[in-house]
Amino acid sequence: MSARETFGGGVAVITGAGAGIGAGLARQASRLGMTVVLADVDAAAVAALREELTAAGGSAVEAVCDVRDANAVEELAETVYRDIGDVRLLVNNAGVEQFGYLWDTPVANWQRVVDINISGVFYGVRAFLPRMMATDAPAWVWNLSSIGGVAVVPLQAPYIMSKHAVLALTECLHLEVKSAGHDHHVHVQAVLPGAVVSNIFESAGGVNSGDAGAAEAQRTAMLDIKAEAMDPIAAAEVVFEQAAEGRFYLLTQPDYVGSAMAERARVLTSQEPPRLRTERRFDPAQN
């Protein structure tokens, strides 16, 4: 089935919908005929996106929600199911970056990454998935990992760790849904974007003490990628089509991200130690 046949007419809830790939997924969901719930902490961003989508003839609702707050995510689920309808697609996308040596990372910045990138996904699953399983209607859960979920990169340890965690969480969740007997209608899929245009690097945390220069140099290196990064709508189109095909790993750039996955498998199989960029065969910071 095509993406339009699979998702069109349903309700999509997307966290972190105000920018980047979250906004791209929201725009593509709207193009496919979905009613899109735009959830983000940035009220102005989701309000502007709602206006854009509705002006184009789509159906969209803005929802200010901080995914770090389990109660807020639960309230979002209650509101959506009560006022809008059953959710066909849940996208746990909200995420943040962090630069700097791990030992220089402020505790508050570490906690921010964990609370948004990992706990935010868990809260989304916990709030929405039981409701999705309660009916026999087809439903999809997408958790946003990253090419960073199958790579190792210095000076970005909190982010890389969080994306490895989301990938493992999603793989386990896929098995749990199957074990519980709901896999005939609930589909859990992992999204692994490569470089996609967003403001995640600009808004990333840094360090207050220690080697701030190294942290900012890494930020600059990541910003250099942005000029050649993939358009968010183009990335979203690929993800929706792959999801409709029934794939588990949804890759925005199949060759590029796939090569990172293959390299990760090779390193683990050979039991090689991690290597610095100049020593590695594959460089996830290059697109």
Side-chain angles (χ1 to χ4, degrees):
M1 296 180 68
S2 69
R4 183 174 296 277
E5 291 171 317
T6 301
F7 297 102
V11 175
V13 177
I14 303 174
T15 68
I21 193 169
L25 291 168
R27 290 184 173 100
Q28 181 62 12
S30 183
R31 287 180 176 182
L32 295 174
M34 304 192 81
T35 296
V36 189
V37 179
L38 309 166
D40 204 295
V41 292
D42 189 336
V46 288
L49 183 55
R50 177 190 59 76
E51 291 180 5
E52 173 194 324
L53 298 181
T54 55
S59 175
V61 179
E62 64 196 87
V64 177
C65 181
D66 187 341
V67 299
R68 294 174 293 184
D69 184 341
N71 291 330
V73 179
E74 177 63 28
E75 290 173 6
L76 174 65
E78 289 182 8
T79 299
V80 171
Y81 273 81
R82 182 187 67 238
D83 299 340
I84 302 173
D86 292 351
V87 175
R88 182 171 299 177
L89 173 63
L90 168 67
V91 184
N92 290 307
N93 164 71
V96 294
E97 255 279 18
Q98 171 64 35
F99 295 119
Y101 288 117
L102 189 59
W103 54 86
D104 290 337
T105 301
V107 171
N109 291 25
W110 168 270
Q111 198 62 56
R112 175 175 179 253
V113 172
V114 171
D115 288 347
I116 295 173
N117 294 16
I118 303 176
S119 296
V121 173
F122 166 61
Y123 296 152
V125 168
R126 193 171 187 276
F128 283 90
L129 185 56
R131 292 175 166 90
M132 301 168 91
M133 294 189 298
T135 75
D136 285 329
W140 283 258
V141 176
W142 297 353
N143 294 332
L144 270 286
S145 179
S146 165
I147 189 173
V150 292
V152 291
V153 182
L155 294 154
Q156 292 174 239
Y159 176 80
I160 296 296
M161 173 279 303
S162 73
K163 293 305 180 178
H164 278 252
V166 170
L167 183 57
L169 179 155
T170 308
E171 290 168 333
C172 292
L173 183 64
H174 176 82
L175 295 178
E176 290 184 1
V177 168
K178 187 177 184 68
S179 177
H182 294 286
D183 60 309
H184 66 285
H185 71 105
V186 176
H187 312 278
V188 176
Q189 296 166 312
V191 183
L192 284 78
V196 176
V197 175
S198 75
N199 62 359
I200 192 170
F201 299 140
E202 290 91 336
S203 61
V207 301
N208 302 324
S209 59
D211 197 339
E216 292 311 306
Q218 186 67 9
R219 187 195 306 272
T220 299
M222 294 299 101
L223 286 170
D224 287 343
I225 297 173
K226 188 172 179 178
E228 299 180 3
M230 190 176 192
D231 177 79
I233 296 179
E237 290 174 350
V238 173
V239 169
F240 269 99
E241 289 298 335
Q242 290 178 354
E245 293 169 4
R247 301 188 189 187
F248 174 75
Y249 299 102
L250 311 180
L251 316 179
T252 58
Q253 297 108 312
D255 291 341
Y256 169 52
V257 181
S259 64
M261 298 171 81
E263 174 66 6
R264 181 65 173 166
R266 186 195 67 78
V267 168
L268 291 174
T269 300
S270 64
Q271 299 184 37
E272 292 183 6
R275 299 179 183 277
L276 288 173
R277 181 177 304 171
T278 55
E279 301 173 296
R280 15 186 346 146
R281 298 184 186 181
F282 176 81
D283 180 3
Q286 299 296 322
N287 187 2

